[in-house]
Amino acid sequence: MNTTQLIIVVPCFNEDAVLNETTAQLSEVLLDMEEKKLILSGEILYVDDGSRDQTWKLIEDLSQKNKRIKGLKLAHNVGHQQALWAGLEWAAHKTYDAIVSIDADLQDDVNAIKEMAIRYQEGNDIVYGVRNERKTDTFFKKNTALMFYRLMNTMGGEIVYNHADFRLMSKRALQALIIHPERNLFLRGMVCSIGFPSACVYYNRKERFAGESKYPLSKMINFALDGITSFSVKPLRLITIFGLSFMVIASLMICYALYAFISHHAIQGWTSLLISVWFIGGAILTAIGVIGEYIGKIYKEVKRRPRYFIEKEI
Ligand code: UDP
Ligand code: MG
Protein backbone atom coordinates (compact mmCIF):
# COMPACT_ATOMS: atom_id res chain seq x y z
CA MET A 1 0.00 0.00 0.00
CA ASN A 2 1.53 3.31 -1.07
CA THR A 3 0.87 6.05 1.46
CA THR A 4 2.81 8.89 -0.15
CA GLN A 5 1.13 12.28 0.01
CA LEU A 6 2.62 14.54 -2.60
CA ILE A 7 2.39 18.28 -3.02
CA ILE A 8 3.48 20.30 -6.02
CA VAL A 9 4.62 23.83 -5.18
CA VAL A 10 4.30 26.37 -7.97
CA PRO A 11 5.46 30.00 -7.60
CA CYS A 12 3.43 32.36 -9.80
CA PHE A 13 4.09 35.95 -10.71
CA ASN A 14 1.60 37.46 -13.16
CA GLU A 15 0.73 34.06 -14.57
CA ASP A 16 -3.01 34.40 -15.23
CA ALA A 17 -2.46 33.40 -18.86
CA VAL A 18 -1.16 29.95 -17.96
CA LEU A 19 -2.75 28.87 -14.68
CA ASN A 20 -5.83 27.18 -16.17
CA GLU A 21 -3.69 25.05 -18.42
CA THR A 22 -1.12 24.37 -15.68
CA THR A 23 -3.88 23.21 -13.37
CA ALA A 24 -5.37 20.94 -16.03
CA GLN A 25 -2.03 19.32 -16.82
CA LEU A 26 -0.86 18.93 -13.23
CA SER A 27 -4.22 17.52 -12.12
CA GLU A 28 -4.10 14.99 -14.91
CA VAL A 29 -0.62 13.88 -13.90
CA LEU A 30 -1.63 13.58 -10.24
CA LEU A 31 -4.75 11.61 -11.10
CA ASP A 32 -2.73 9.24 -13.24
CA MET A 33 -0.20 8.77 -10.44
CA GLU A 34 -2.96 8.02 -7.95
CA GLU A 35 -4.49 5.46 -10.28
CA LYS A 36 -1.13 3.80 -10.83
CA LYS A 37 -0.58 3.79 -7.04
CA LEU A 38 2.61 5.82 -7.38
CA ILE A 39 1.18 8.08 -4.68
CA LEU A 40 -1.80 8.03 -2.34
CA SER A 41 -2.86 11.59 -2.96
CA GLY A 42 -1.58 14.66 -4.74
CA GLU A 43 -2.16 18.36 -4.21
CA ILE A 44 -1.02 21.60 -5.82
CA LEU A 45 0.06 24.72 -3.94
CA TYR A 46 0.15 27.95 -5.91
CA VAL A 47 2.21 30.71 -4.32
CA ASP A 48 1.12 34.04 -5.71
CA ASP A 49 4.22 36.21 -5.55
CA GLY A 50 2.52 39.60 -5.34
CA SER A 51 1.09 39.44 -8.85
CA ARG A 52 -0.47 42.55 -10.33
CA ASP A 53 -2.82 40.72 -12.68
CA GLN A 54 -5.71 38.31 -12.08
CA THR A 55 -3.49 35.50 -10.75
CA TRP A 56 -4.85 35.42 -7.18
CA LYS A 57 -8.47 35.69 -8.31
CA LEU A 58 -7.83 32.77 -10.61
CA ILE A 59 -6.23 30.70 -7.84
CA GLU A 60 -9.28 31.36 -5.63
CA ASP A 61 -11.63 30.27 -8.41
CA LEU A 62 -9.59 27.19 -9.20
CA SER A 63 -9.48 26.14 -5.55
CA GLN A 64 -13.28 26.33 -5.43
CA LYS A 65 -13.62 23.99 -8.36
CA ASN A 66 -10.75 21.63 -7.69
CA LYS A 67 -10.07 20.30 -4.22
CA ARG A 68 -6.45 19.53 -4.99
CA ILE A 69 -5.67 23.20 -5.19
CA LYS A 70 -4.33 25.34 -2.39
CA GLY A 71 -3.05 28.88 -2.54
CA LEU A 72 -0.75 31.21 -0.66
CA LYS A 73 -0.79 34.89 -1.47
CA LEU A 74 2.36 36.81 -0.64
CA ALA A 75 1.82 40.44 0.26
CA HIS A 76 4.58 41.71 -2.01
CA ASN A 77 6.65 40.51 -4.95
CA VAL A 78 9.68 38.87 -3.37
CA GLY A 79 11.13 37.01 -6.36
CA HIS A 80 11.03 33.43 -7.58
CA GLN A 81 13.41 31.91 -5.01
CA GLN A 82 11.78 33.52 -1.98
CA ALA A 83 8.29 32.69 -3.26
CA LEU A 84 9.27 29.07 -3.75
CA TRP A 85 10.79 29.06 -0.28
CA ALA A 86 7.48 30.33 1.17
CA GLY A 87 5.71 27.38 -0.41
CA LEU A 88 8.35 24.89 0.74
CA GLU A 89 8.30 26.19 4.29
CA TRP A 90 4.52 25.99 4.35
CA ALA A 91 4.60 22.39 3.09
CA ALA A 92 7.33 21.37 5.54
CA HIS A 93 5.00 22.05 8.45
CA LYS A 94 2.27 19.84 7.02
CA THR A 95 2.10 16.08 6.66
CA TYR A 96 3.32 15.75 3.07
CA ASP A 97 5.87 13.00 2.41
CA ALA A 98 7.28 14.46 -0.78
CA ILE A 99 7.20 17.81 -2.51
CA VAL A 100 7.83 18.74 -6.11
CA SER A 101 8.70 22.28 -7.17
CA ILE A 102 7.97 23.41 -10.71
CA ASP A 103 7.50 26.70 -12.58
CA ALA A 104 4.01 27.79 -13.54
CA ASP A 105 4.74 28.24 -17.23
CA LEU A 106 4.80 24.53 -18.24
CA GLN A 107 8.32 24.75 -19.66
CA ASP A 108 9.26 21.73 -17.60
CA ASP A 109 7.72 18.42 -18.59
CA VAL A 110 4.97 17.65 -16.08
CA ASN A 111 5.16 13.94 -16.97
CA ALA A 112 8.66 13.80 -15.51
CA ILE A 113 6.97 14.05 -12.10
CA LYS A 114 5.87 10.41 -12.49
CA GLU A 115 9.44 9.27 -12.97
CA MET A 116 10.50 11.44 -10.05
CA ALA A 117 7.98 9.63 -7.86
CA ILE A 118 9.38 6.27 -8.98
CA ARG A 119 12.93 7.37 -8.13
CA TYR A 120 11.64 8.59 -4.79
CA GLN A 121 10.04 5.20 -4.05
CA GLU A 122 13.39 3.60 -4.86
CA GLY A 123 14.85 5.46 -1.91
CA ASN A 124 16.11 8.75 -3.30
CA ASP A 125 15.55 11.80 -1.13
CA ILE A 126 16.22 14.31 -3.88
CA VAL A 127 15.34 13.83 -7.54
CA TYR A 128 16.67 16.52 -9.86
CA GLY A 129 14.83 17.36 -13.05
CA VAL A 130 17.57 17.83 -15.63
CA ARG A 131 16.83 19.20 -19.08
CA ASN A 132 18.26 17.22 -21.96
CA GLU A 133 18.91 20.01 -24.37
CA ARG A 134 18.28 23.68 -24.66
CA LYS A 135 16.73 23.67 -28.12
CA THR A 136 14.10 26.26 -27.30
CA ASP A 137 16.47 28.69 -25.58
CA THR A 138 18.09 31.47 -27.54
CA PHE A 139 21.78 31.18 -28.44
CA PHE A 140 22.46 33.88 -25.87
CA LYS A 141 20.62 32.21 -22.98
CA LYS A 142 22.17 28.82 -23.77
CA ASN A 143 25.73 30.13 -23.73
CA THR A 144 25.38 32.45 -20.78
CA ALA A 145 23.88 29.55 -18.82
CA LEU A 146 26.79 27.27 -19.76
CA MET A 147 29.32 29.94 -18.75
CA PHE A 148 27.55 30.33 -15.46
CA TYR A 149 27.66 26.60 -14.62
CA ARG A 150 31.37 26.50 -15.45
CA LEU A 151 32.13 29.58 -13.39
CA MET A 152 30.07 28.30 -10.49
CA ASN A 153 31.87 24.97 -10.49
CA THR A 154 35.34 26.52 -10.62
CA MET A 155 34.32 28.82 -7.79
CA GLY A 156 33.55 25.73 -5.73
CA GLY A 157 29.74 25.87 -5.58
CA GLU A 158 28.35 22.44 -6.39
CA ILE A 159 25.35 22.48 -8.74
CA VAL A 160 23.78 19.94 -11.07
CA TYR A 161 24.34 20.94 -14.70
CA ASN A 162 21.13 21.94 -16.52
CA HIS A 163 19.01 21.56 -13.42
CA ALA A 164 16.91 24.53 -12.36
CA ASP A 165 14.22 24.44 -9.72
CA PHE A 166 12.24 21.45 -10.99
CA ARG A 167 12.85 18.74 -8.40
CA LEU A 168 11.33 16.36 -5.92
CA MET A 169 12.35 16.35 -2.28
CA SER A 170 11.47 13.93 0.49
CA LYS A 171 10.23 15.24 3.80
CA ARG A 172 13.66 14.63 5.30
CA ALA A 173 15.45 16.60 2.57
CA LEU A 174 12.90 19.40 2.80
CA GLN A 175 13.36 19.66 6.53
CA ALA A 176 17.12 19.79 6.08
CA LEU A 177 16.68 22.58 3.53
CA ILE A 178 14.41 24.79 5.57
CA ILE A 179 16.70 24.94 8.58
CA HIS A 180 19.17 26.91 6.44
CA PRO A 181 18.78 30.34 8.00
CA GLU A 182 20.22 32.48 5.22
CA ARG A 183 18.22 35.13 3.43
CA ASN A 184 20.07 35.10 0.09
CA LEU A 185 18.56 32.05 -1.55
CA PHE A 186 20.14 30.03 -4.29
CA LEU A 187 18.04 26.93 -3.91
CA ARG A 188 19.64 24.74 -6.57
CA GLY A 189 22.99 25.12 -4.81
CA MET A 190 21.60 24.73 -1.31
CA VAL A 191 19.77 21.52 -2.20
CA CYS A 192 22.96 20.04 -3.68
CA SER A 193 24.89 20.86 -0.53
CA ILE A 194 22.50 18.85 1.67
CA GLY A 195 23.63 15.45 0.41
CA PHE A 196 21.30 12.42 0.89
CA PRO A 197 20.72 9.84 -1.87
CA SER A 198 19.74 11.55 -5.10
CA ALA A 199 18.88 10.78 -8.70
CA CYS A 200 18.27 12.67 -11.94
CA VAL A 201 15.31 12.53 -14.29
CA TYR A 202 15.86 13.85 -17.82
CA TYR A 203 13.31 15.77 -19.87
CA ASN A 204 13.08 18.19 -22.76
CA ARG A 205 12.37 21.76 -21.84
CA LYS A 206 9.67 23.39 -23.87
CA GLU A 207 8.75 26.92 -24.81
CA ARG A 208 6.76 28.92 -22.26
CA PHE A 209 3.05 28.02 -22.61
CA ALA A 210 1.91 31.66 -22.57
CA GLY A 211 2.97 35.04 -21.22
CA GLU A 212 6.55 36.20 -21.15
CA SER A 213 9.63 35.40 -19.10
CA LYS A 214 9.76 37.02 -15.68
CA TYR A 215 13.54 36.67 -15.72
CA PRO A 216 14.96 39.48 -17.85
CA LEU A 217 18.73 39.72 -18.29
CA SER A 218 19.16 42.03 -15.30
CA LYS A 219 17.46 39.52 -12.96
CA MET A 220 19.52 36.70 -14.49
CA ILE A 221 22.79 38.51 -13.79
CA ASN A 222 21.71 39.29 -10.24
CA PHE A 223 20.75 35.67 -9.72
CA ALA A 224 24.09 34.42 -11.06
CA LEU A 225 26.03 36.83 -8.83
CA ASP A 226 23.93 35.77 -5.87
CA GLY A 227 24.65 32.14 -6.64
CA ILE A 228 28.39 32.66 -6.66
CA THR A 229 28.61 34.98 -3.70
CA SER A 230 26.34 32.91 -1.50
CA PHE A 231 28.30 29.75 -2.07
CA SER A 232 31.86 30.78 -2.29
CA VAL A 233 34.36 33.12 -0.72
CA LYS A 234 36.82 32.26 -3.49
CA PRO A 235 36.55 35.71 -5.14
CA LEU A 236 38.01 37.11 -1.92
CA ARG A 237 40.79 34.55 -1.87
CA LEU A 238 41.61 35.45 -5.49
CA ILE A 239 42.54 38.94 -4.31
CA THR A 240 45.12 37.49 -1.93
CA ILE A 241 46.50 35.31 -4.70
CA PHE A 242 46.73 38.28 -7.07
CA GLY A 243 48.41 40.36 -4.39
CA LEU A 244 51.02 37.71 -3.66
CA SER A 245 51.71 37.18 -7.39
CA PHE A 246 52.19 40.93 -7.77
CA MET A 247 54.69 40.85 -4.93
CA VAL A 248 56.65 38.11 -6.70
CA ILE A 249 56.63 40.10 -9.94
CA ALA A 250 57.65 43.16 -7.92
CA SER A 251 60.72 41.43 -6.53
CA LEU A 252 61.79 40.37 -10.03
CA MET A 253 61.18 43.91 -11.26
CA ILE A 254 63.22 45.30 -8.38
CA CYS A 255 66.19 43.09 -9.31
CA TYR A 256 65.88 44.11 -12.95
CA ALA A 257 65.48 47.81 -12.15
CA LEU A 258 68.47 47.81 -9.80
CA TYR A 259 70.56 46.01 -12.42
CA ALA A 260 69.55 48.62 -15.03
CA PHE A 261 70.33 51.38 -12.57
CA ILE A 262 73.77 50.02 -11.71
CA SER A 263 74.69 49.44 -15.33
CA HIS A 264 73.52 53.00 -16.15
CA HIS A 265 70.89 51.88 -18.70
CA ALA A 266 68.10 53.57 -16.80
CA ILE A 267 66.70 57.09 -17.16
CA GLN A 268 66.78 59.15 -13.96
CA GLY A 269 63.80 58.42 -11.72
CA TRP A 270 62.65 55.35 -13.66
CA THR A 271 63.98 52.84 -11.13
CA SER A 272 62.33 54.32 -8.09
CA LEU A 273 59.06 54.82 -9.95
CA LEU A 274 58.96 51.26 -11.28
CA ILE A 275 59.80 49.73 -7.93
CA SER A 276 57.16 51.81 -6.14
CA VAL A 277 54.40 51.01 -8.60
CA TRP A 278 54.89 47.24 -8.47
CA PHE A 279 55.68 46.97 -4.82
CA ILE A 280 52.93 49.25 -3.54
CA GLY A 281 50.38 47.68 -5.92
CA GLY A 282 51.26 44.20 -4.66
CA ALA A 283 51.30 45.29 -1.03
CA ILE A 284 47.87 46.95 -1.27
CA LEU A 285 46.32 43.93 -2.99
CA THR A 286 47.78 41.57 -0.41
CA ALA A 287 46.45 43.73 2.40
CA ILE A 288 42.96 43.80 0.87
CA GLY A 289 43.20 40.04 0.41
CA VAL A 290 44.02 39.53 4.09
CA ILE A 291 41.00 41.62 5.04
CA GLY A 292 39.00 39.59 2.53
CA GLU A 293 40.02 36.36 4.21
CA TYR A 294 38.57 37.58 7.48
CA ILE A 295 35.42 38.91 5.83
CA GLY A 296 35.00 35.51 4.19
CA LYS A 297 35.20 33.86 7.60
CA ILE A 298 32.72 36.32 9.10
CA TYR A 299 30.39 35.71 6.16
CA LYS A 300 30.47 31.95 6.69
CA GLU A 301 29.84 32.38 10.40
CA VAL A 302 26.92 34.77 10.12
CA LYS A 303 25.15 32.42 7.75
CA ARG A 304 24.92 29.94 10.64
CA ARG A 305 24.33 27.10 8.25
CA PRO A 306 23.66 23.63 9.65
CA ARG A 307 26.93 21.72 9.97
CA TYR A 308 25.80 18.27 8.87
CA PHE A 309 22.84 16.02 8.25
CA ILE A 310 22.75 12.43 9.42
CA GLU A 311 21.72 10.10 6.64
CA LYS A 312 21.57 6.77 8.52
CA GLU A 313 21.89 5.53 12.04
CA ILE A 314 22.32 1.96 13.24
N1 UDP B 1 8.32 34.00 -10.59
C1 UDP B 1 7.96 34.42 -9.31
N2 UDP B 1 8.36 35.67 -8.89
C2 UDP B 1 9.12 36.50 -9.68
C3 UDP B 1 9.51 36.05 -10.96
C4 UDP B 1 9.10 34.78 -11.38
O1 UDP B 1 7.30 33.70 -8.57
O2 UDP B 1 9.42 37.62 -9.23
C5 UDP B 1 7.90 32.65 -11.05
C6 UDP B 1 7.19 32.63 -12.39
O3 UDP B 1 5.81 32.86 -12.23
C7 UDP B 1 7.49 31.22 -12.88
C8 UDP B 1 8.87 30.96 -12.32
O4 UDP B 1 9.06 31.89 -11.25
O5 UDP B 1 6.59 30.27 -12.35
C9 UDP B 1 9.97 31.07 -13.34
O6 UDP B 1 9.88 32.30 -14.03
P1 UDP B 1 10.01 32.41 -15.62
O7 UDP B 1 9.36 31.23 -16.28
O8 UDP B 1 9.49 33.75 -16.04
O9 UDP B 1 11.59 32.36 -15.80
P2 UDP B 1 12.40 31.72 -17.08
O10 UDP B 1 11.83 30.34 -17.29
O11 UDP B 1 12.14 32.62 -18.21
O12 UDP B 1 13.82 31.70 -16.61
MG1 MG C 1 9.95 29.85 -17.57
Side-chain angles (χ1 to χ4, degrees), residues 15 103-108 141 205-208 212-215:
E15 299 285 11
D103 289 352
D105 57 2
L106 295 172
Q107 282 192 280
D108 305 314
K141 188 142 185 168
R205 191 164 155 103
K206 289 174 276 196
E207 212 96 55
R208 196 174 228 289
E212 53 190 43
S213 172
K214 274 76 190 175
Y215 264 102

Side-chain angles (χ1 to χ4, degrees), residues 182-233:
E182 63 222 61
R183 293 293 182 266
N184 280 298
L185 295 181
F186 187 67
L187 289 169
R188 61 191 79 172
M190 292 162 71
V191 172
C192 286
S193 71
I194 294 176
F196 289 146
S198 65
C200 292
V201 163
Y202 297 88
Y203 68 97
N204 291 326
R205 191 164 155 103
K206 289 174 276 196
E207 212 96 55
R208 196 174 228 289
F209 177 74
E212 53 190 43
S213 172
K214 274 76 190 175
Y215 264 102
L217 182 65
S218 57
K219 269 198 199 172
M220 250 169 67
I221 291 173
N222 273 336
F223 186 53
L225 284 179
D226 243 12
I228 292 166
T229 51
S230 358
F231 269 85
S232 160
V233 287

Side-chain angles (χ1 to χ4, degrees), residues 8 20-21 27 37 56 106 132-133 148 153 158 166 168 178 191 205 211 215 229 245 257 260 271 289 302:
I8 304 180
N20 276 316
E21 183 62 22
S27 302
K37 306 258 182 288
W56 181 248
L106 295 172
N132 269 328
E133 56 207 306
F148 171 66
N153 280 325
E158 194 189 329
F166 181 30
L168 179 147
I178 65 155
V191 172
R205 191 164 155 103
Y215 264 102
T229 51
S245 335
T271 316
V302 296

Side-chain angles (χ1 to χ4, degrees), residues 22-46:
T22 310
T23 308
Q25 294 199 15
L26 288 177
S27 302
E28 196 186 309
V29 168
L30 288 174
L31 186 67
D32 189 39
M33 289 165 73
E34 287 165 1
E35 279 167 0
K36 291 188 174 138
K37 306 258 182 288
L38 278 173
I39 54 172
L40 177 71
S41 67
E43 291 173 9
I44 303 167
L45 173 72
Y46 287 123

Side-chain angles (χ1 to χ4, degrees), residues 136-171:
T136 56
D137 278 353
T138 58
F139 176 82
F140 180 75
K141 188 142 185 168
K142 216 182 311 194
N143 284 286
T144 44
L146 183 67
M147 261 162 52
F148 171 66
Y149 284 109
R150 294 229 174 102
L151 185 65
M152 188 74 194
N153 280 325
T154 47
M155 285 293 174
E158 194 189 329
I159 45 174
V160 173
Y161 182 60
N162 267 349
H163 160 70
D165 283 304
F166 181 30
R167 70 178 84 82
L168 179 147
M169 272 188 277
S170 68
K171 183 159 198 96

Side-chain angles (χ1 to χ4, degrees), residues 52-119:
R52 287 179 279 268
D53 63 359
Q54 295 300 305
T55 301
W56 181 248
K57 175 89 191 35
L58 198 60
I59 295 172
E60 281 180 329
D61 291 349
L62 287 166
S63 71
Q64 297 283 316
K65 284 183 260 169
N66 186 333
K67 21 177 230 336
R68 291 183 193 284
I69 296 191
K70 308 206 164 336
L72 277 185
K73 180 174 168 33
L74 304 185
H76 188 74
N77 177 244
V78 291
H80 173 221
Q81 298 286 293
Q82 310 285 347
L84 181 53
W85 181 273
L88 295 179
E89 201 163 34
W90 181 90
H93 295 111
K94 301 282 188 289
T95 56
Y96 302 106
D97 305 292
I99 75 107
V100 166
S101 53
I102 188 169
D103 289 352
D105 57 2
L106 295 172
Q107 282 192 280
D108 305 314
D109 183 4
V110 293
N111 285 301
I113 298 174
K114 296 177 194 168
E115 210 186 321
M116 287 181 173
I118 297 172
R119 297 278 163 279

